[in-house]
Amino acid sequence: IAGMYVGLVAVTTALSILGLSYLRASLSLPLFDRSIQVTPVFGRNPDVFFVSAMFAAGAIAASASILVMRQAVLVSMGEAAAGLLQSAFALGLALSLVLNPTNGLYLTPIMNRSIEPASKLAIALDYQKRLAAILVLVSLPIVLFPQTAIYVLFSGRFTDAAQWVFLFVSAQIAIQFAGIYQAILIGLGQMRAYAIVTALGHAMAG
């Protein structure tokens, strides 16, 4: 598990450096600009620290719940069971990899606009209906043919986990819907409520 997290940090860091290098080259941006001062920006926007802390709390809760889950299975049942857990968990995560970007690219910007709260709620509920249809289409093949999905993504040695795939897919569907309401809380400026709900939700999931 430690090696997995070290590898994740290394790969994420490398991708960040590559992304910054690409932006610097394509947009002709300097790596450092002494004319830009960060301190005055924080002075004009003191809420930045609080909002950042609330997002960090949510991110830590998500990572911690997954770590607790993996560690508990690894200690109590061994490496083979942890591998089966990861294969079932990965199929559920496939949904989030496909659908999470739609929240960030479509819903969140709308929720951050200066529009009436009632309008934000109406837009979010309409988005939820569309997301529900997409979730059904994407998740049905995984739930109906979990052994095939596991075999394609991993190997036949992981198919014992197929009987539990529907639970992990169901959990990811719930998390997708929760993301909509989290976006509403952020759009309404309820960052403390967002952090509390997110942390409690991930604790329950773990």
Side-chain angles (χ1 to χ4, degrees):
I1 290 181
M4 181 183 67
Y5 279 94
V6 169
L8 183 62
V9 170
V11 170
T12 304
T13 302
L15 289 174
S16 299
I17 293 172
L18 288 173
L20 288 172
S21 301
Y22 171 77
L23 289 175
R24 181 172 180 242
S26 61
L27 300 178
S28 300
L29 295 174
L31 190 60
F32 298 101
D33 190 341
R34 296 183 182 276
S35 65
I36 298 175
Q37 300 295 322
V38 176
T39 305
V41 176
F42 286 139
R44 293 191 301 269
N45 302 277
D47 288 343
V48 167
F49 290 104
F50 175 72
V51 172
S52 299
M54 295 302 98
F55 277 123
I60 291 171
S63 298
S65 68
I66 296 173
L67 176 61
V68 167
M69 178 178 65
R70 288 174 173 149
Q71 189 69 25
V73 173
L74 183 62
V75 171
S76 62
M77 302 177 68
E79 294 179 354
L84 294 177
L85 167 70
Q86 181 61 27
S87 63
F89 186 60
L91 290 179
L93 283 180
L95 293 178
S96 63
L97 291 175
V98 173
L99 297 173
N100 272 352
T102 61
N103 272 14
L105 296 174
Y106 174 76
L107 184 62
T108 301
I110 295 176
M111 294 295 103
N112 289 334
R113 292 177 186 170
S114 297
I115 57 179
E116 292 296 321
S119 299
K120 291 183 178 183
L121 186 58
I123 292 170
L125 292 177
D126 180 67
Y127 173 77
Q128 180 178 264
K129 288 190 295 185
R130 300 172 188 273
L131 181 66
I134 296 173
L135 282 170
V136 169
L137 292 174
V138 174
S139 63
L140 266 181
I142 299 175
V143 173
L144 292 176
F145 308 105
Q147 288 186 324
T148 303
I150 288 178
Y151 183 84
V152 170
L153 287 178
F154 296 94
S155 76
R157 299 176 68 181
F158 290 87
T159 54
D160 286 346
Q163 59 185 318
W164 306 110
V165 165
F166 77 96
L167 287 175
F168 291 92
V169 172
S170 299
Q172 281 301 319
I173 289 175
I175 290 173
Q176 290 297 319
F177 284 127
I180 297 174
Y181 294 99
Q182 290 168 339
I184 294 174
L185 289 173
I186 294 170
L188 297 179
Q190 301 294 325
M191 292 304 302
R192 186 175 282 103
Y194 160 81
I196 293 172
V197 169
T198 301
L200 289 176
H202 284 299
M204 291 174 64

PDB file of all heavy atoms in Angstrom, residues 110-141:
ATOM      1  N   ILE A 110     -21.551  26.522 -13.290  1.00  0.00           N
ATOM      2  CA  ILE A 110     -22.885  27.111 -13.202  1.00  0.00           C
ATOM      3  C   ILE A 110     -23.234  27.423 -11.749  1.00  0.00           C
ATOM      4  O   ILE A 110     -23.795  28.475 -11.439  1.00  0.00           O
ATOM      5  CB  ILE A 110     -23.936  26.166 -13.821  1.00  0.00           C
ATOM      6  CG1 ILE A 110     -23.679  26.005 -15.318  1.00  0.00           C
ATOM      7  CG2 ILE A 110     -25.352  26.696 -13.575  1.00  0.00           C
ATOM      8  CD1 ILE A 110     -24.616  25.022 -15.995  1.00  0.00           C
ATOM      9  N   MET A 111     -22.895  26.508 -10.851  1.00  0.00           N
ATOM     10  CA  MET A 111     -23.190  26.724  -9.440  1.00  0.00           C
ATOM     11  C   MET A 111     -22.427  27.922  -8.873  1.00  0.00           C
ATOM     12  O   MET A 111     -22.842  28.533  -7.882  1.00  0.00           O
ATOM     13  CB  MET A 111     -22.851  25.476  -8.619  1.00  0.00           C
ATOM     14  CG  MET A 111     -23.718  24.253  -8.916  1.00  0.00           C
ATOM     15  SD  MET A 111     -25.464  24.459  -8.493  1.00  0.00           S
ATOM     16  CE  MET A 111     -26.167  24.733 -10.137  1.00  0.00           C
ATOM     17  N   ASN A 112     -21.298  28.273  -9.487  1.00  0.00           N
ATOM     18  CA  ASN A 112     -20.491  29.396  -9.002  1.00  0.00           C
ATOM     19  C   ASN A 112     -20.900  30.734  -9.604  1.00  0.00           C
ATOM     20  O   ASN A 112     -20.303  31.757  -9.270  1.00  0.00           O
ATOM     21  CB  ASN A 112     -19.006  29.132  -9.282  1.00  0.00           C
ATOM     22  CG  ASN A 112     -18.444  28.039  -8.391  1.00  0.00           C
ATOM     23  OD1 ASN A 112     -18.932  27.804  -7.298  1.00  0.00           O
ATOM     24  ND2 ASN A 112     -17.417  27.357  -8.862  1.00  0.00           N
ATOM     25  N   ARG A 113     -21.884  30.733 -10.474  1.00  0.00           N
ATOM     26  CA  ARG A 113     -22.338  32.000 -11.051  1.00  0.00           C
ATOM     27  C   ARG A 113     -23.181  32.786 -10.053  1.00  0.00           C
ATOM     28  O   ARG A 113     -23.730  32.230  -9.098  1.00  0.00           O
ATOM     29  CB  ARG A 113     -23.168  31.738 -12.314  1.00  0.00           C
ATOM     30  CG  ARG A 113     -22.372  31.188 -13.473  1.00  0.00           C
ATOM     31  CD  ARG A 113     -23.292  30.904 -14.650  1.00  0.00           C
ATOM     32  NE  ARG A 113     -22.595  30.238 -15.744  1.00  0.00           N
ATOM     33  CZ  ARG A 113     -23.203  29.712 -16.803  1.00  0.00           C
ATOM     34  NH1 ARG A 113     -24.526  29.775 -16.899  1.00  0.00           N
ATOM     35  NH2 ARG A 113     -22.490  29.126 -17.749  1.00  0.00           N
ATOM     36  N   SER A 114     -23.287  34.078 -10.298  1.00  0.00           N
ATOM     37  CA  SER A 114     -24.115  34.942  -9.448  1.00  0.00           C
ATOM     38  C   SER A 114     -25.558  34.914  -9.943  1.00  0.00           C
ATOM     39  O   SER A 114     -26.047  35.856 -10.581  1.00  0.00           O
ATOM     40  CB  SER A 114     -23.556  36.373  -9.454  1.00  0.00           C
ATOM     41  OG  SER A 114     -22.268  36.414  -8.907  1.00  0.00           O
ATOM     42  N   ILE A 115     -26.244  33.814  -9.666  1.00  0.00           N
ATOM     43  CA  ILE A 115     -27.641  33.674 -10.037  1.00  0.00           C
ATOM     44  C   ILE A 115     -28.435  33.276  -8.799  1.00  0.00           C
ATOM     45  O   ILE A 115     -27.869  32.930  -7.761  1.00  0.00           O
ATOM     46  CB  ILE A 115     -27.843  32.625 -11.160  1.00  0.00           C
ATOM     47  CG1 ILE A 115     -27.277  31.258 -10.730  1.00  0.00           C
ATOM     48  CG2 ILE A 115     -27.180  33.087 -12.447  1.00  0.00           C
ATOM     49  CD1 ILE A 115     -27.470  30.170 -11.769  1.00  0.00           C
ATOM     50  N   GLU A 116     -29.750  33.335  -8.905  1.00  0.00           N
ATOM     51  CA  GLU A 116     -30.604  33.040  -7.772  1.00  0.00           C
ATOM     52  C   GLU A 116     -30.425  31.588  -7.298  1.00  0.00           C
ATOM     53  O   GLU A 116     -30.258  30.682  -8.124  1.00  0.00           O
ATOM     54  CB  GLU A 116     -32.068  33.267  -8.144  1.00  0.00           C
ATOM     55  CG  GLU A 116     -32.421  34.728  -8.382  1.00  0.00           C
ATOM     56  CD  GLU A 116     -32.269  35.559  -7.113  1.00  0.00           C
ATOM     57  OE1 GLU A 116     -32.619  35.045  -6.030  1.00  0.00           O
ATOM     58  OE2 GLU A 116     -31.782  36.697  -7.209  1.00  0.00           O
ATOM     59  N   PRO A 117     -30.472  31.367  -5.973  1.00  0.00           N
ATOM     60  CA  PRO A 117     -30.367  29.994  -5.453  1.00  0.00           C
ATOM     61  C   PRO A 117     -31.404  29.047  -6.042  1.00  0.00           C
ATOM     62  O   PRO A 117     -31.103  27.875  -6.301  1.00  0.00           O
ATOM     63  CB  PRO A 117     -30.574  30.183  -3.946  1.00  0.00           C
ATOM     64  CG  PRO A 117     -30.118  31.582  -3.673  1.00  0.00           C
ATOM     65  CD  PRO A 117     -30.500  32.366  -4.898  1.00  0.00           C
ATOM     66  N   ALA A 118     -32.634  29.546  -6.268  1.00  0.00           N
ATOM     67  CA  ALA A 118     -33.678  28.691  -6.847  1.00  0.00           C
ATOM     68  C   ALA A 118     -33.284  28.232  -8.245  1.00  0.00           C
ATOM     69  O   ALA A 118     -33.554  27.084  -8.631  1.00  0.00           O
ATOM     70  CB  ALA A 118     -35.014  29.435  -6.876  1.00  0.00           C
ATOM     71  N   SER A 119     -32.650  29.112  -9.016  1.00  0.00           N
ATOM     72  CA  SER A 119     -32.208  28.758 -10.365  1.00  0.00           C
ATOM     73  C   SER A 119     -31.096  27.715 -10.307  1.00  0.00           C
ATOM     74  O   SER A 119     -31.069  26.778 -11.107  1.00  0.00           O
ATOM     75  CB  SER A 119     -31.714  30.008 -11.108  1.00  0.00           C
ATOM     76  OG  SER A 119     -32.749  30.959 -11.248  1.00  0.00           O
ATOM     77  N   LYS A 120     -30.189  27.859  -9.359  1.00  0.00           N
ATOM     78  CA  LYS A 120     -29.118  26.876  -9.201  1.00  0.00           C
ATOM     79  C   LYS A 120     -29.692  25.499  -8.880  1.00  0.00           C
ATOM     80  O   LYS A 120     -29.251  24.483  -9.428  1.00  0.00           O
ATOM     81  CB  LYS A 120     -28.155  27.315  -8.101  1.00  0.00           C
ATOM     82  CG  LYS A 120     -27.324  28.548  -8.438  1.00  0.00           C
ATOM     83  CD  LYS A 120     -26.348  28.870  -7.329  1.00  0.00           C
ATOM     84  CE  LYS A 120     -25.500  30.084  -7.705  1.00  0.00           C
ATOM     85  NZ  LYS A 120     -24.483  30.410  -6.680  1.00  0.00           N
ATOM     86  N   LEU A 121     -30.677  25.476  -7.982  1.00  0.00           N
ATOM     87  CA  LEU A 121     -31.274  24.205  -7.593  1.00  0.00           C
ATOM     88  C   LEU A 121     -31.991  23.561  -8.781  1.00  0.00           C
ATOM     89  O   LEU A 121     -31.883  22.345  -9.001  1.00  0.00           O
ATOM     90  CB  LEU A 121     -32.254  24.416  -6.442  1.00  0.00           C
ATOM     91  CG  LEU A 121     -32.857  23.154  -5.816  1.00  0.00           C
ATOM     92  CD1 LEU A 121     -31.765  22.235  -5.299  1.00  0.00           C
ATOM     93  CD2 LEU A 121     -33.823  23.522  -4.706  1.00  0.00           C
ATOM     94  N   ALA A 122     -32.705  24.366  -9.570  1.00  0.00           N
ATOM     95  CA  ALA A 122     -33.423  23.833 -10.731  1.00  0.00           C
ATOM     96  C   ALA A 122     -32.446  23.257 -11.755  1.00  0.00           C
ATOM     97  O   ALA A 122     -32.687  22.185 -12.327  1.00  0.00           O
ATOM     98  CB  ALA A 122     -34.265  24.937 -11.365  1.00  0.00           C
ATOM     99  N   ILE A 123     -31.340  23.955 -11.990  1.00  0.00           N
ATOM    100  CA  ILE A 123     -30.335  23.474 -12.936  1.00  0.00           C
ATOM    101  C   ILE A 123     -29.719  22.164 -12.437  1.00  0.00           C
ATOM    102  O   ILE A 123     -29.529  21.216 -13.207  1.00  0.00           O
ATOM    103  CB  ILE A 123     -29.248  24.546 -13.145  1.00  0.00           C
ATOM    104  CG1 ILE A 123     -29.836  25.759 -13.875  1.00  0.00           C
ATOM    105  CG2 ILE A 123     -28.062  23.975 -13.918  1.00  0.00           C
ATOM    106  CD1 ILE A 123     -28.901  26.948 -13.909  1.00  0.00           C
ATOM    107  N   ALA A 124     -29.432  22.107 -11.129  1.00  0.00           N
ATOM    108  CA  ALA A 124     -28.814  20.903 -10.567  1.00  0.00           C
ATOM    109  C   ALA A 124     -29.755  19.707 -10.653  1.00  0.00           C
ATOM    110  O   ALA A 124     -29.322  18.590 -10.961  1.00  0.00           O
ATOM    111  CB  ALA A 124     -28.419  21.162  -9.115  1.00  0.00           C
ATOM    112  N   LEU A 125     -31.039  19.915 -10.402  1.00  0.00           N
ATOM    113  CA  LEU A 125     -31.990  18.807 -10.472  1.00  0.00           C
ATOM    114  C   LEU A 125     -32.169  18.323 -11.910  1.00  0.00           C
ATOM    115  O   LEU A 125     -32.327  17.119 -12.150  1.00  0.00           O
ATOM    116  CB  LEU A 125     -33.336  19.242  -9.882  1.00  0.00           C
ATOM    117  CG  LEU A 125     -33.334  19.498  -8.368  1.00  0.00           C
ATOM    118  CD1 LEU A 125     -34.702  20.001  -7.909  1.00  0.00           C
ATOM    119  CD2 LEU A 125     -32.942  18.251  -7.605  1.00  0.00           C
ATOM    120  N   ASP A 126     -32.140  19.251 -12.864  1.00  0.00           N
ATOM    121  CA  ASP A 126     -32.220  18.853 -14.272  1.00  0.00           C
ATOM    122  C   ASP A 126     -30.976  18.055 -14.666  1.00  0.00           C
ATOM    123  O   ASP A 126     -31.063  17.039 -15.372  1.00  0.00           O
ATOM    124  CB  ASP A 126     -32.354  20.094 -15.157  1.00  0.00           C
ATOM    125  CG  ASP A 126     -32.435  19.738 -16.634  1.00  0.00           C
ATOM    126  OD1 ASP A 126     -33.444  19.131 -17.040  1.00  0.00           O
ATOM    127  OD2 ASP A 126     -31.477  20.055 -17.372  1.00  0.00           O
ATOM    128  N   TYR A 127     -29.830  18.499 -14.184  1.00  0.00           N
ATOM    129  CA  TYR A 127     -28.588  17.774 -14.441  1.00  0.00           C
ATOM    130  C   TYR A 127     -28.630  16.387 -13.813  1.00  0.00           C
ATOM    131  O   TYR A 127     -28.152  15.404 -14.394  1.00  0.00           O
ATOM    132  CB  TYR A 127     -27.411  18.575 -13.890  1.00  0.00           C
ATOM    133  CG  TYR A 127     -26.089  17.861 -13.943  1.00  0.00           C
ATOM    134  CD1 TYR A 127     -25.384  17.752 -15.138  1.00  0.00           C
ATOM    135  CD2 TYR A 127     -25.541  17.293 -12.799  1.00  0.00           C
ATOM    136  CE1 TYR A 127     -24.163  17.096 -15.192  1.00  0.00           C
ATOM    137  CE2 TYR A 127     -24.323  16.642 -12.841  1.00  0.00           C
ATOM    138  CZ  TYR A 127     -23.641  16.548 -14.043  1.00  0.00           C
ATOM    139  OH  TYR A 127     -22.435  15.892 -14.084  1.00  0.00           O
ATOM    140  N   GLN A 128     -29.233  16.291 -12.628  1.00  0.00           N
ATOM    141  CA  GLN A 128     -29.336  15.005 -11.945  1.00  0.00           C
ATOM    142  C   GLN A 128     -30.148  14.008 -12.764  1.00  0.00           C
ATOM    143  O   GLN A 128     -29.796  12.820 -12.837  1.00  0.00           O
ATOM    144  CB  GLN A 128     -29.976  15.197 -10.568  1.00  0.00           C
ATOM    145  CG  GLN A 128     -30.130  13.917  -9.779  1.00  0.00           C
ATOM    146  CD  GLN A 128     -30.720  14.168  -8.412  1.00  0.00           C
ATOM    147  OE1 GLN A 128     -29.995  14.296  -7.433  1.00  0.00           O
ATOM    148  NE2 GLN A 128     -32.029  14.247  -8.328  1.00  0.00           N
ATOM    149  N   LYS A 129     -31.238  14.464 -13.382  1.00  0.00           N
ATOM    150  CA  LYS A 129     -32.040  13.568 -14.215  1.00  0.00           C
ATOM    151  C   LYS A 129     -31.230  13.038 -15.388  1.00  0.00           C
ATOM    152  O   LYS A 129     -31.298  11.851 -15.730  1.00  0.00           O
ATOM    153  CB  LYS A 129     -33.286  14.310 -14.717  1.00  0.00           C
ATOM    154  CG  LYS A 129     -34.336  14.581 -13.652  1.00  0.00           C
ATOM    155  CD  LYS A 129     -35.639  15.086 -14.245  1.00  0.00           C
ATOM    156  CE  LYS A 129     -35.471  16.433 -14.909  1.00  0.00           C
ATOM    157  NZ  LYS A 129     -36.760  16.985 -15.384  1.00  0.00           N
ATOM    158  N   ARG A 130     -30.458  13.918 -16.012  1.00  0.00           N
ATOM    159  CA  ARG A 130     -29.634  13.490 -17.141  1.00  0.00           C
ATOM    160  C   ARG A 130     -28.538  12.532 -16.685  1.00  0.00           C
ATOM    161  O   ARG A 130     -28.234  11.546 -17.358  1.00  0.00           O
ATOM    162  CB  ARG A 130     -29.017  14.712 -17.828  1.00  0.00           C
ATOM    163  CG  ARG A 130     -30.057  15.689 -18.380  1.00  0.00           C
ATOM    164  CD  ARG A 130     -29.395  16.967 -18.864  1.00  0.00           C
ATOM    165  NE  ARG A 130     -30.369  17.970 -19.220  1.00  0.00           N
ATOM    166  CZ  ARG A 130     -30.932  18.084 -20.421  1.00  0.00           C
ATOM    167  NH1 ARG A 130     -30.589  17.231 -21.379  1.00  0.00           N
ATOM    168  NH2 ARG A 130     -31.816  19.035 -20.671  1.00  0.00           N
ATOM    169  N   LEU A 131     -27.946  12.839 -15.522  1.00  0.00           N
ATOM    170  CA  LEU A 131     -26.887  11.981 -14.996  1.00  0.00           C
ATOM    171  C   LEU A 131     -27.422  10.596 -14.667  1.00  0.00           C
ATOM    172  O   LEU A 131     -26.743   9.589 -14.884  1.00  0.00           O
ATOM    173  CB  LEU A 131     -26.269  12.619 -13.758  1.00  0.00           C
ATOM    174  CG  LEU A 131     -25.121  11.843 -13.103  1.00  0.00           C
ATOM    175  CD1 LEU A 131     -23.910  11.797 -14.031  1.00  0.00           C
ATOM    176  CD2 LEU A 131     -24.739  12.463 -11.765  1.00  0.00           C
ATOM    177  N   ALA A 132     -28.642  10.532 -14.133  1.00  0.00           N
ATOM    178  CA  ALA A 132     -29.239   9.242 -13.781  1.00  0.00           C
ATOM    179  C   ALA A 132     -29.342   8.335 -15.005  1.00  0.00           C
ATOM    180  O   ALA A 132     -29.029   7.138 -14.941  1.00  0.00           O
ATOM    181  CB  ALA A 132     -30.612   9.456 -13.154  1.00  0.00           C
ATOM    182  N   ALA A 133     -29.769   8.905 -16.132  1.00  0.00           N
ATOM    183  CA  ALA A 133     -29.883   8.114 -17.356  1.00  0.00           C
ATOM    184  C   ALA A 133     -28.510   7.615 -17.818  1.00  0.00           C
ATOM    185  O   ALA A 133     -28.356   6.450 -18.218  1.00  0.00           O
ATOM    186  CB  ALA A 133     -30.535   8.948 -18.448  1.00  0.00           C
ATOM    187  N   ILE A 134     -27.499   8.486 -17.723  1.00  0.00           N
ATOM    188  CA  ILE A 134     -26.153   8.099 -18.137  1.00  0.00           C
ATOM    189  C   ILE A 134     -25.603   7.007 -17.216  1.00  0.00           C
ATOM    190  O   ILE A 134     -24.980   6.041 -17.668  1.00  0.00           O
ATOM    191  CB  ILE A 134     -25.222   9.325 -18.134  1.00  0.00           C
ATOM    192  CG1 ILE A 134     -25.697  10.341 -19.179  1.00  0.00           C
ATOM    193  CG2 ILE A 134     -23.783   8.914 -18.415  1.00  0.00           C
ATOM    194  CD1 ILE A 134     -24.948  11.653 -19.134  1.00  0.00           C
ATOM    195  N   LEU A 135     -25.864   7.154 -15.908  1.00  0.00           N
ATOM    196  CA  LEU A 135     -25.378   6.160 -14.947  1.00  0.00           C
ATOM    197  C   LEU A 135     -25.960   4.781 -15.226  1.00  0.00           C
ATOM    198  O   LEU A 135     -25.262   3.770 -15.117  1.00  0.00           O
ATOM    199  CB  LEU A 135     -25.725   6.602 -13.524  1.00  0.00           C
ATOM    200  CG  LEU A 135     -24.830   7.679 -12.910  1.00  0.00           C
ATOM    201  CD1 LEU A 135     -25.422   8.188 -11.604  1.00  0.00           C
ATOM    202  CD2 LEU A 135     -23.424   7.138 -12.676  1.00  0.00           C
ATOM    203  N   VAL A 136     -27.239   4.736 -15.578  1.00  0.00           N
ATOM    204  CA  VAL A 136     -27.870   3.452 -15.895  1.00  0.00           C
ATOM    205  C   VAL A 136     -27.190   2.821 -17.107  1.00  0.00           C
ATOM    206  O   VAL A 136     -26.849   1.628 -17.100  1.00  0.00           O
ATOM    207  CB  VAL A 136     -29.380   3.639 -16.155  1.00  0.00           C
ATOM    208  CG1 VAL A 136     -29.976   2.366 -16.736  1.00  0.00           C
ATOM    209  CG2 VAL A 136     -30.092   4.012 -14.867  1.00  0.00           C
ATOM    210  N   LEU A 137     -26.975   3.615 -18.146  1.00  0.00           N
ATOM    211  CA  LEU A 137     -26.378   3.088 -19.371  1.00  0.00           C
ATOM    212  C   LEU A 137     -24.948   2.591 -19.141  1.00  0.00           C
ATOM    213  O   LEU A 137     -24.543   1.561 -19.681  1.00  0.00           O
ATOM    214  CB  LEU A 137     -26.384   4.167 -20.456  1.00  0.00           C
ATOM    215  CG  LEU A 137     -27.762   4.570 -21.007  1.00  0.00           C
ATOM    216  CD1 LEU A 137     -27.626   5.741 -21.965  1.00  0.00           C
ATOM    217  CD2 LEU A 137     -28.430   3.391 -21.693  1.00  0.00           C
ATOM    218  N   VAL A 138     -24.194   3.342 -18.330  1.00  0.00           N
ATOM    219  CA  VAL A 138     -22.788   2.991 -18.112  1.00  0.00           C
ATOM    220  C   VAL A 138     -22.642   1.823 -17.141  1.00  0.00           C
ATOM    221  O   VAL A 138     -21.783   0.948 -17.320  1.00  0.00           O
ATOM    222  CB  VAL A 138     -22.011   4.220 -17.594  1.00  0.00           C
ATOM    223  CG1 VAL A 138     -20.580   3.844 -17.228  1.00  0.00           C
ATOM    224  CG2 VAL A 138     -22.009   5.326 -18.648  1.00  0.00           C
ATOM    225  N   SER A 139     -23.482   1.792 -16.105  1.00  0.00           N
ATOM    226  CA  SER A 139     -23.305   0.791 -15.051  1.00  0.00           C
ATOM    227  C   SER A 139     -23.940  -0.558 -15.372  1.00  0.00           C
ATOM    228  O   SER A 139     -23.481  -1.594 -14.856  1.00  0.00           O
ATOM    229  CB  SER A 139     -23.873   1.313 -13.732  1.00  0.00           C
ATOM    230  OG  SER A 139     -25.271   1.530 -13.834  1.00  0.00           O
ATOM    231  N   LEU A 140     -24.975  -0.588 -16.200  1.00  0.00           N
ATOM    232  CA  LEU A 140     -25.656  -1.853 -16.472  1.00  0.00           C
ATOM    233  C   LEU A 140     -24.725  -2.938 -17.012  1.00  0.00           C
ATOM    234  O   LEU A 140     -24.752  -4.073 -16.506  1.00  0.00           O
ATOM    235  CB  LEU A 140     -26.821  -1.632 -17.438  1.00  0.00           C
ATOM    236  CG  LEU A 140     -28.197  -1.412 -16.806  1.00  0.00           C
ATOM    237  CD1 LEU A 140     -29.265  -1.224 -17.866  1.00  0.00           C
ATOM    238  CD2 LEU A 140     -28.571  -2.574 -15.894  1.00  0.00           C
ATOM    239  N   PRO A 141     -23.903  -2.668 -18.024  1.00  0.00           N
ATOM    240  CA  PRO A 141     -23.004  -3.738 -18.506  1.00  0.00           C
ATOM    241  C   PRO A 141     -22.067  -4.259 -17.413  1.00  0.00           C
ATOM    242  O   PRO A 141     -21.783  -5.461 -17.361  1.00  0.00           O
ATOM    243  CB  PRO A 141     -22.218  -3.048 -19.629  1.00  0.00           C
ATOM    244  CG  PRO A 141     -23.075  -1.906 -20.056  1.00  0.00           C
ATOM    245  CD  PRO A 141     -23.766  -1.440 -18.818  1.00  0.00           C
TER     246      PRO A 141
END
